[in-house]
Amino acid sequence: MRAWLHQAVDPSARAQGVSLFNLVICGLILIAVLIAVLETEQTLVDQFPVFFYLAEWLFFIVFAAEFCLRVYVAPLNPLFTGRFGRIRYLFSLWALIDLLALLPFLLTGTDVTAYYLRLARLLRVLRIARLGRFTHAWAMLGGAFHARRYELLISALIALLLLLVSSTFLYLLEAEGQPDAFGSVPRALWWSVATLTTVGYGDVTPLTAAGKFFAGITAVAGIGLVAMPTGILAAAFSDAFQKQRGEKQGG
Amino acid sequence: MRAWLHQAVDPSARAQGVSLFNLVICGLILIAVLIAVLETEQTLVDQFPVFFYLAEWLFFIVFAAEFCLRVYVAPLNPLFTGRFGRIRYLFSLWALIDLLALLPFLLTGTDVTAYYLRLARLLRVLRIARLGRFTHAWAMLGGAFHARRYELLISALIALLLLLVSSTFLYLLEAEGQPDAFGSVPRALWWSVATLTTVGYGDVTPLTAAGKFFAGITAVAGIGLVAMPTGILAAAFSDAFQKQRGEKQGG
Amino acid sequence: MRAWLHQAVDPSARAQGVSLFNLVICGLILIAVLIAVLETEQTLVDQFPVFFYLAEWLFFIVFAAEFCLRVYVAPLNPLFTGRFGRIRYLFSLWALIDLLALLPFLLTGTDVTAYYLRLARLLRVLRIARLGRFTHAWAMLGGAFHARRYELLISALIALLLLLVSSTFLYLLEAEGQPDAFGSVPRALWWSVATLTTVGYGDVTPLTAAGKFFAGITAVAGIGLVAMPTGILAAAFSDAFQKQRGEKQGG
Amino acid sequence: MRAWLHQAVDPSARAQGVSLFNLVICGLILIAVLIAVLETEQTLVDQFPVFFYLAEWLFFIVFAAEFCLRVYVAPLNPLFTGRFGRIRYLFSLWALIDLLALLPFLLTGTDVTAYYLRLARLLRVLRIARLGRFTHAWAMLGGAFHARRYELLISALIALLLLLVSSTFLYLLEAEGQPDAFGSVPRALWWSVATLTTVGYGDVTPLTAAGKFFAGITAVAGIGLVAMPTGILAAAFSDAFQKQRGEKQGG
């Protein structure tokens, strides 16, 4: 019985494929997140107060039961065997996230800290990445990031430098005309980050000719800022995919 | 006679190249879509009412004739031989799209549902992708997407997480000052999606310092959101092109 | 003498490197384009009328002399030998561009068509791409584009489809509230192209909840629209670079 | 003693890893840059005048001491041995940057030129790129850029051409209606650079139908402008990573 439950509950218990139990739980997590998102809209809560109240309770019961089940079958996982297996499981990363995601149900709607804790529920969305084939894809993407962490850090460093240089220039050129938007480097950073990431809100734009000239150069540099990490990631993923193919052919 | 028509009408009947018939039809589809687009502009319809009326009828006759022709030669395709071949063809995907695209001609201009059906006409544009060499390119792109579907799904999952986290933060920080734009997570999502995709309309922007700080982080995360799928696709296409070259050299 | 001039004037006469003559001409072309750009600003012309007048005449004389020189040495190029070599040169692409770029000097400042002809001067900027090592890089990039023209066309086709679908949806959802911006599909296309290319001016944005929902989906689709051609180009360039390295090792 | 200091101070003295001294200095550089950024915000300086005054002095003493230490151990570096080693070190690039970064401390807050000199402090951030493993990553990225400099220059040339062509068209089409924004090509360039880089502030947008049509084409061309250098960089990095792997396997 417990072995059968373990097969259904623990995603690492299966060599491949996803159990129906985990599929349903992932679906419920997505629905719970959606409801938590909609619940912040006061007009909806006023329209359907009973629905949200019931949904909160229902999800609390389901997820609490799921949590107990996971604690119950934990010792069957080789990582959590032995006398203190269950306690060690309680302090594992995923169990803590699950626990943290249960807390906001108890504090529902009372104060602001409850909202912060609800963010924990979002982390459970990542649980989907542990299902079946996703584990391989997840490991490959993570490996590609790790293999090129120095290159990515350098491109982040260059981005930081560009942010500081462009906001300093715009501060020097536009501070007089627009003290609210460019009156200091931290203020000019808001414009700078919007331009270099090519978001470009347009709530703040330079007005002087010199300011526009440097802003244009910043915008062009922004292309490089997007192109460099994209290029590094593309090459890193290409490497990782080739290595995977090599392993398949070798195995 | 029917065999000659089949050669001209069915793109899969030829080993390579495109028949004049299919080239003309694809050109007419593009023109029909263009006219359907222009027809929604009332000032144009008021200026040239006869032109649009005639064009609608002309295209209906041409496409209806084309459809009948395709049904007539269908049994020569190995997929639709036998007694019920023509009926099976009528229920194939491309025949249904063609039929759906004929409907709005009959309901022209009367009500809103006619507009929705006109969208079917757009799908016929995809027919171009079935011509000659496009079939290979189409299959290769589709294969690359399919081979890396888990990696792409993970990057979509991360995007979803970033959307939810950033809109929750902005909701917590900006709800007081701008209840219309950030009064709830669903409302903040509008800003969040515009920022993470680097569109950046600028109709809604954070006003507090803390809000701008998190918005800046969101904008930087947006670069990652663009870079990751681009990198995955680049590596996947690179893989697919290499495999294709390998097959050519092997064959 | 003519042979020595030919070596200096014709970039294809040298196995590698760039002659001083062509370097100077390219520099002058860039300066002439810069002056033509500044000349459109009336306040500058009013301030320095003599400068612009003299510059126009100087550049006309220099470029006319350069053109005559190129015609003079043309027959030494194997492509333009024989009796009608010079005449054939006059009708070659680059000679026509050069001639077209000389015309606006004669029509300077008189009317609007002169401005259109000045665009020809911009085309001469491309001449830089014919210098020395650029020829190889140019050929490689062109080859990569050509090798994947079907894949790029398919991604353009999908982009067209997305443009039409998203503008149709926004037209259906927002036409009532904002007839000026979304009153027809061609009008909605302006918003649609700004969103799908992730430019996002923000002069027009949907106001209804349903409109914002579809606009969000459009913005996310915009990422794909950027990612797909970028991925195809990255893979195509990767292929081209590898082929080049293979040729070097083989040669 | 001096040899031990040299090991700690000179990053090139170690085969791998980073000395504690250099880690601390890099951390201090980042903090000094952060404080220099915050110091431009007058409201902060008014609130904590003593803090910024002390921080300036503290950083000046620390960085001056660091500079003296580097000069002291310079002759142990094989590049700066001999009688005039220290003087040659003083005129090396990194020493000049360090010296330039010390100057603004002496001129603090007095006039505008002090701000420009403070930019030198930003350059010291690049020092981080010289630490340990970063040196390899830095060299690899630089090598990839260098190997494809002609391709990148061509894509910059095409970008320049697109900028000029699109701003000329918009100038011709929109100058009448919006003389402030499109009254000359240099003015139209501001819109053009914002559109082609997909930043899209939206402070200036075309109003005529023809202007919007060409603006849409410009926006689509902007995708190519982003895709081309990204593709070139992705392929160049892919090449560089493969070469690195080849060297590792061969070594």
Side-chain angles (χ1 to χ4, degrees), chain B residues 68-86:
Chain B
C68 295
L69 205 63
R70 288 195 194 276
V71 173
Y72 173 65
V73 302
L76 288 173
N77 188 319
L79 282 167
F80 304 110
T81 48
R83 204 195 290 185
F84 301 111
R86 280 209 182 94

Side-chain angles (χ1 to χ4, degrees), chain B residues 67-218:
Chain B
F67 183 72
C68 295
L69 205 63
R70 288 195 194 276
V71 173
Y72 173 65
V73 302
L76 288 173
N77 188 319
L79 282 167
F80 304 110
T81 48
R83 204 195 290 185
F84 301 111
R86 280 209 182 94
I87 288 153
R88 267 187 291 132
Y89 175 75
L90 277 174
F91 287 96
S92 71
L93 183 66
W94 287 103
L96 285 173
I97 289 174
D98 285 0
L99 208 58
L100 213 64
L102 280 173
L103 280 180
F105 289 111
L106 302 172
L107 309 160
T108 181
T110 49
D111 60 355
V112 167
T113 53
Y115 287 124
Y116 285 103
L117 279 168
R118 254 173 230 195
L119 280 175
R121 238 187 259 185
L122 294 180
L123 287 173
R124 292 201 73 201
V125 172
L126 283 175
R127 191 174 269 281
I128 296 165
R130 289 180 69 211
L131 295 181
R133 294 262 181 111
F134 279 110
T135 335
H136 296 281
W138 186 253
M140 195 188 296
L141 294 180
F145 267 94
H146 189 256
R148 297 299 160 197
R149 62 193 180 283
Y150 294 109
E151 281 85 1
L152 289 168
L153 267 168
I154 281 178
S155 104
L157 210 71
I158 293 172
L160 183 74
L161 212 70
L162 277 173
L163 268 178
L164 291 173
V165 168
S166 69
S167 54
T168 305
F169 267 106
L170 266 285
Y171 154 61
L172 292 169
L173 293 165
E174 296 280 330
E176 256 181 78
Q178 303 185 76
D180 275 348
F182 294 103
S184 68
V185 174
R187 286 176 196 207
L189 267 171
W190 171 242
W191 169 85
S192 194
V193 80
T195 300
L196 277 171
T197 57
T198 79
V199 169
Y201 291 119
D203 54 342
V204 200
T205 47
L207 297 177
T208 66
K212 285 186 176 185
F213 181 74
F214 277 101
I217 291 175
T218 305

